[in-house]
Amino acid sequence: MRMLINVAETVVADALRGMAAAHPRLTVDVENRVVVRSDAPVAGRVGIVSGGGSGHEPLHAGFVGPGMLSAACPGEVFTSPVPDQMVRAAAAVDSGQGVLFVVKNYTGDVLNFDMAAELAEDEGIQVAKVLVDDDVAVTDSSFTAGRRGTGATLFVEKIAGAAAEEGAPLERVEALARQVNASSRSFGVALSAVTTPAKGTPTFDLPPGELELGIGIHGEPGRERRPMMTSGEIADFAVDAVLDDLRPTRPVLVLVNGMGATPLLELYGFNAEVQRVLTERGVAVARTLVGNYVTSLDMAGCSVTLCQVDEELLRLWDAPVETPALRWGR
Amino acid sequence: MLDAEFFRRWMSATADAVDREAGRLTELDSAIGDADHGSNLQRGFAAVAAALEKERPATPGAVLALAGRQLISTVGGASGPLYGTLLRRTGKALGDDSEVTPGKLAAALGAGVDAVAQLGGAKAGDKTMLDALIPAAGALGESLSFGAAREAADEGALATVPLQARKGRASYLGERSIGHQDPGATSSALLIGTLADTAEAGA
């Protein structure tokens, strides 16, 4: 294993200390693992709290700041944070207007946020929750725990954050977050497996010349393995998988997301193919974001997320945002 | 009769066993999950052992309740709330008695297992920790033998190999989850195994 770490046990705390040093506008509680925008709680504004396992950077702490998240709780690598962290975060950002928890649909995240919501409400904090479940690689049936939450998390956090920044009440912020999730779908592809610091070897074995289709963001294998495809063939497959499920009638936001180890040269090239497929399928593109935003440690690969938008969602997407990883309009 | 000291020894034996088996649990989890089950439980039960040493709760129920709260506060993932709920609810069902019979423990464990099933929305055969816990609680209730409970838990964990996961992260793999032993059922069998060890060592 060659990793830029000291020991596996302290990777999350070490990263948080480094984040604090790089971003003075964040308040980073390394011991309790809570990252808060330093001007929180903002009077009269709903708080937006998200969290999940570490290893997906910049998600979520990289999205804390004006116009997006009020606070983030990073868990251990690929492990949900604990309720104590979430309650602390909620208390730190609640101005009396309530807090929205943005939760990705993984059993651990759901259970811990459920427990945290109960505890926060006991402390007199009004809590609403939105579950992100955008991954079309996982069929939604009575036999599974539902779709995974992946790339759409960024759309939900940005748009809900913009609405909160404008002073929308909790009910409205929650409704918008649900609308964004319902309007979003994702599909991911892995060209290599993940190596977690705790394990030190790849979590699954992917022979050269093959790729995994339908991967999530936790190093679990995908749904299907095939011989390596070209960027154009992958774009056809991934975009069609999303469109088969979403069937948009309005313009879409496009997120071409890298899983951590795929360079921008490849991601931009892949985006060119994604745009080609969308044009061929008659789907109008409103905005496009390309980069490593919802990653999976050192996994090579990419995901495509589309979100169908109306005028209000697009306006909120374009609204100013100032976070370590997403910044425009200010 | 089983006193608070017995339950402290059980938890401490579990911390040792999880420490010893962390690598194997993580290996199982890397096949169908995300390769952290061993290290997560290791962190949680180390915190349990430390808290029990410091606070020394006086009753069996209080020992398990404290252990459960520690797991919820330190483990994260799905294992934290699920194991935490198992121990907390088992402890709650034991009440305030300073000593409990194996029969009472069997009934309480049954209540804890029910709480896990409710929280996770899973049932027998879904390829989860319940596949070890349900038979173990059943065997203990029927025979009041900790050895029988261990045997049932081990068999239950092994029986998850051919199953397709229907809950948790492994469920996202669909048919590809078949052929691997469930890490949660394996760690549950470990917990029941240390219960039997503790009972045998005390006899």
Side-chain angles (χ1 to χ4, degrees):
Chain A
M1 170 173 67
R2 269 178 284 186
M3 277 186 191
L4 188 59
I5 63 172
N6 292 314
V7 289
E9 288 73 22
T10 63
V11 283
V12 176
D14 292 343
L16 288 178
R17 285 191 291 115
M19 223 184 153
H23 302 287
R25 299 188 66 176
L26 300 180
T27 302
V28 180
D29 180 344
V30 177
E31 193 193 340
N32 295 301
R33 305 203 175 176
V34 179
V35 179
V36 181
R37 56 184 275 190
S38 51
D39 58 350
V42 184
R45 298 290 181 265
V46 166
I48 314 275
V49 172
S50 190
S54 292
H56 307 303
E57 291 69 24
L59 187 79
H60 295 277
F63 299 143
V64 175
M68 211 160 166
L69 295 179
S70 315
C73 324
E76 285 292 322
V77 173
F78 291 172
T79 301
S80 160
V82 299
D84 303 19
Q85 288 170 269
M86 299 158 182
V87 175
R88 254 175 226 279
V93 305
D94 182 34
S95 68
Q97 302 302 308
V99 173
L100 177 73
F101 283 167
V102 179
V103 186
K104 295 188 300 307
N105 192 26
Y106 283 91
T107 312
D109 295 80
V110 172
L111 295 183
N112 284 284
F113 270 107
D114 278 354
M115 291 190 164
E118 271 187 48
L119 295 170
E121 276 164 3
D122 286 351
E123 291 188 17
I125 302 169
Q126 197 190 347
V127 176
K129 283 176 291 186
V130 59
L131 197 64
V132 182
D133 59 348
D134 54 312
D135 186 354
V136 299
V138 179
T139 39
D140 198 25
S141 77
S142 58
F143 295 113
T144 71
R147 300 171 185 268
R148 290 179 289 223
T150 57
T153 314
L154 181 145
F155 290 144
V156 171
E157 292 177 357
K158 171 65 182 78
I159 289 171
E165 200 71 36
E166 289 183 353
L170 182 58
E171 218 171 63
R172 179 68 189 141
V173 174
E174 181 193 356
L176 282 164
R178 285 183 197 282
Q179 186 191 344
V180 173
N181 180 57
S183 309
S184 301
R185 299 288 189 279
S186 295
F187 190 88
V189 176
L191 310 182
S192 75
V194 167
T195 299
T196 60
K199 183 158 183 281
T201 52
T203 55
F204 61 90
D205 179 40
L206 188 56
E210 296 187 18
L211 84 173
E212 288 267 351
L213 295 168
I215 48 101
I217 53 174
H218 293 94
E220 67 270 46
R223 291 298 293 259
E224 196 186 329
R225 184 168 291 182
R226 289 199 184 180
M228 191 55 206
M229 297 152 74
T230 65
S231 176
E233 288 165 348
I234 295 172
D236 277 311
F237 194 97
V239 174
D240 280 341
V242 169
L243 290 179
D244 277 351
D245 211 277
L246 185 61
R247 305 191 179 280
T249 53
R250 289 194 299 266
V252 294
L253 306 177
V254 180
L255 170 63
V256 167
N257 174 59
M259 303 308 297
T262 292
L264 274 174
L265 179 77
E266 293 173 40
L267 290 180
Y268 275 122
F270 179 62
N271 182 49
E273 298 297 334
V274 168
Q275 303 287 329
R276 169 190 60 77
V277 181
L278 289 169
T279 304
E280 285 172 9
R281 306 291 186 270
V283 178
V285 174
R287 301 286 183 274
T288 299
L289 189 64
V290 179
N292 290 289
Y293 292 103
V294 183
T295 62
S296 186
L297 289 173
D298 63 341
M299 180 184 271
C302 58
S303 63
V304 179
T305 305
L306 303 182
C307 174
Q308 175 172 233
V309 289
D310 57 19
E311 275 177 29
E312 182 171 28
L313 293 193
L314 187 57
R315 183 182 64 76
L316 291 167
W317 174 253
D318 286 339
V321 58
E322 189 175 354
T323 72
L326 211 61
R327 178 186 293 253
W328 59 66
R330 268 170 78 114
Chain B
M1 294 291 274
L2 312 167
D3 59 6
E5 184 51 34
F6 173 87
F7 284 85
R8 271 201 295 273
R9 286 205 307 272
W10 173 24
M11 289 297 107
S12 149
T14 305
D16 290 345
V18 166
D19 204 41
R20 212 168 46 237
E21 299 286 332
R24 186 169 70 101
L25 293 176
T26 290
E27 198 59 46
L28 290 173
D29 194 28
S30 76
I32 57 174
D34 55 1
D36 62 5
H37 190 56
S39 48
N40 283 345
L41 280 190
Q42 206 173 14
R43 185 174 62 249
F45 275 100
V48 167
L52 289 177
E53 199 53 46
K54 199 169 137 219
E55 296 191 26
R56 306 203 65 88
T59 65
V63 169
L64 293 189
L66 176 62
R69 278 203 307 280
Q70 284 296 318
L71 293 178
I72 292 170
S73 300
T74 56
V75 177
S79 328
L82 291 169
Y83 270 103
T85 295
L86 173 70
L87 295 184
R88 231 165 48 86
R89 293 293 282 273
T90 302
K92 214 169 145 188
L94 287 176
D96 296 329
D97 298 350
S98 59
E99 291 188 328
V100 298
T101 60
K104 179 138 193 197
L105 174 55
L109 187 63
V113 173
D114 286 347
V116 170
Q118 202 183 2
L119 182 66
K123 53 188 190 315
D126 284 349
K127 195 168 182 131
T128 71
M129 60 197 283
L130 289 173
D131 289 322
L133 291 175
I134 292 173
L140 185 62
E142 268 169 38
S143 65
L144 297 186
S145 151
F146 291 111
R150 168 168 51 203
E151 217 167 283
D154 287 342
E155 279 172 20
L158 268 179
T160 61
V161 173
L163 298 178
Q164 176 172 338
R166 288 193 292 230
K167 285 286 167 187
R169 209 161 274 173
S171 69
Y172 297 134
L173 307 188
E175 289 180 0
R176 295 177 86 182
S177 66
I178 294 171
H180 302 278
Q181 184 167 324
D182 182 65
T186 308
S187 58
S188 291
L190 212 58
L191 177 75
I192 301 298
T194 55
L195 173 63
D197 294 347
T198 308
E200 284 159 11

